[in-house]
Amino acid sequence: MSLLEQLIEAFRVLPGVGRKTAQRMAYHVLERGRDGGRDLSRVLAEAVERIGHCSQCRDFSETEVCAVCASGGRDRQVLCVVESPADRLAIETATGYRGLYYVLQGRLSPLDGIGPRELGLEALATRLAAGEVGEMIVATSATVEGETTAHYLAQLARQHGVRPSRLAQGLPLGGELEYVDRGTLSHAFGSRAEMPR
Amino acid sequence: MSLLEQLIEAFRVLPGVGRKTAQRMAYHVLERGRDGGRDLSRVLAEAVERIGHCSQCRDFSETEVCAVCASGGRDRQVLCVVESPADRLAIETATGYRGLYYVLQGRLSPLDGIGPRELGLEALATRLAAGEVGEMIVATSATVEGETTAHYLAQLARQHGVRPSRLAQGLPLGGELEYVDRGTLSHAFGSRAEMPR
């Protein structure tokens, strides 16, 4: 296989990149982005070797403890549990949240062999037992597996005297009633709240 | 900047990859594709250093002369001129063409400072003058710049006694008349041909 063919195949490891896109990437790098290609190669090799997981929150980190967990400026009484590093980043970027995080790196899915052990729930339980955390925000996704995980996490929290809370569900901002799915609409209708004066 | 941030930024050198996609790529590689990431890094570094241009057709090649130009099984009397390596690959994949290629790596665009010299047209002229080529297939794109380039190439061919030909223009296969653009429809209508019995 020629080096160009190898490069095209190698790009296909990236998510959402099929044969055509991989080809375009290879040609682009060779035609107009050799310096960028060099950088990407170097940083990628370094990242793959050096980025591990934070020993406290399980998020990606190049250090034993990540910057958020090590920070002195965060509220250590609130713990937000998310499924993935991407979810953590989304919350950190979109909200003004100043507490800590716990990244499950997945969600409960017995059929796929993903149980409490794979999600690091033992370590989470130990942390809740330590008594520092007062509220646990369960920010798993609003899917069946996410809800199952949320339910499990809520029980775990209560066992250790920690108050569990869950992100609000309802119409998305800018959501047209006509186009919102039935489940969401039904839930939002049932959970209607009195309007303030 | 953390290593993860650097990785996300580095992915943005790829075409069509914005901040969000770059993030998804970085997370994907770290979560599920570390081996693939290592491969990509290695092949990318090697490709960026070692892939140059074929001295005969200007296509990408890791050797002085590319496999197609070096092949004994191609018809050396037909030369197909294309704008880019991607165009060359598309023709090679879609058609049964067995002649040789010449890759311009661009198209005439005086405003952008791209003239005959940048497209290697001197070397092309030398090759046409050598007398081996009988037909030159001009496969530049059907855009204004592509047409200008085609016109220039046709003149060059005739100067050296070489027959220039151009890809047919008309309705694309499966094209609905209603949705085809006016220019294409007008051209196809004007170039109508008598149907065989």
Side-chain angles (χ1 to χ4, degrees), chain A residues 74-138:
Chain A
R74 313 282 304 205
D75 180 354
R76 300 189 162 265
Q77 300 187 332
V78 199
L79 187 66
C80 178
V81 183
V82 294
E83 291 176 6
S84 70
D87 292 347
R88 190 204 71 84
L89 186 62
I91 291 178
E92 186 73 6
T93 313
T95 73
Y97 181 63
R98 299 299 298 163
L100 297 179
Y101 294 95
Y102 196 80
V103 182
L104 301 175
Q105 301 280 3
R107 44 194 172 191
L108 287 179
S109 178
L111 288 179
D112 301 322
I114 299 177
R117 180 187 299 271
E118 283 69 29
L119 302 185
L121 297 192
E122 288 165 20
L124 179 60
T126 309
R127 179 139 165 204
L128 295 180
E132 196 179 32
V133 179
E135 178 188 359
M136 182 167 91
I137 303 174
V138 179

Side-chain angles (χ1 to χ4, degrees), chain B residues 59-187:
Chain B
D59 192 10
F60 288 127
S61 174
E62 29 181 324
T63 46
E64 159 78 14
V65 176
C66 75
V68 171
C69 287
S71 161
R74 313 282 303 205
D75 180 355
R76 299 186 163 267
Q77 299 187 333
V78 199
L79 187 66
C80 178
V81 183
V82 294
E83 291 176 6
S84 70
D87 292 347
R88 191 204 70 83
L89 186 62
I91 291 178
E92 185 73 7
T93 313
T95 73
Y97 181 63
R98 298 299 299 163
L100 296 179
Y101 294 95
Y102 196 79
V103 183
L104 301 175
Q105 302 280 4
R107 44 195 173 190
L108 287 178
S109 178
L111 288 180
D112 301 321
I114 299 178
R117 180 188 300 272
E118 283 69 30
L119 302 184
L121 296 192
E122 289 165 18
L124 178 60
T126 310
R127 178 138 166 205
L128 295 179
E132 197 180 32
V133 178
E135 179 187 358
M136 182 167 90
I137 303 174
V138 180
T140 54
S141 55
T143 58
V144 174
E145 290 173 344
E147 290 295 346
T148 310
T149 310
H151 191 75
Y152 190 99
L153 288 168
Q155 283 184 317
L156 191 71
R158 289 197 194 94
Q159 277 169 25
H160 295 92
V162 172
R163 208 162 11 97
S165 63
R166 182 98 175 93
L167 299 200
Q169 289 188 0
L171 301 180
L173 250 66
E176 300 260 21
L177 246 65
E178 189 181 350
Y179 299 116
V180 160
D181 68 287
R182 284 176 52 178
T184 298
L185 186 55
S186 161
H187 183 96

Side-chain angles (χ1 to χ4, degrees), chain A residues 3 38 41 49 51 62, chain B residues 3 34 38 41 49 51 62:
Chain A
L3 199 48
R38 254 175 228 114
S41 167
E49 298 313 328
I51 295 182
E62 29 181 324
Chain B
L3 200 46
R34 296 215 180 202
R38 254 175 229 115
S41 167
E49 298 313 327
I51 294 182
E62 29 181 324

Side-chain angles (χ1 to χ4, degrees), chain A residues 2-3 7 13 15 23 25 27-28 30-31 34 36-38 41 43-45 48-49 51 60 62 85-86 89, chain B residues 2-4 7 13 15 23 25 27-28 30-31 34 36-38 41 43-45 48-49 51 60 62 85-86 89:
Chain A
S2 76
L3 199 48
L7 181 59
V13 71
Q23 226 174 67
M25 287 176 167
Y27 284 138
H28 179 91
L30 292 173
E31 275 167 23
R34 295 215 182 203
R38 254 175 228 114
S41 167
V43 173
L44 183 56
V48 163
E49 298 313 328
I51 295 182
F60 288 128
E62 29 181 324
L89 186 62
Chain B
S2 77
L3 200 46
L4 181 62
L7 181 59
V13 72
Q23 224 175 68
M25 287 175 167
Y27 283 138
H28 178 91
L30 292 173
E31 275 166 24
R34 296 215 180 202
R38 254 175 229 115
S41 167
V43 173
L44 184 56
V48 163
E49 298 313 327
I51 294 182
F60 288 127
E62 29 181 324
L89 186 62

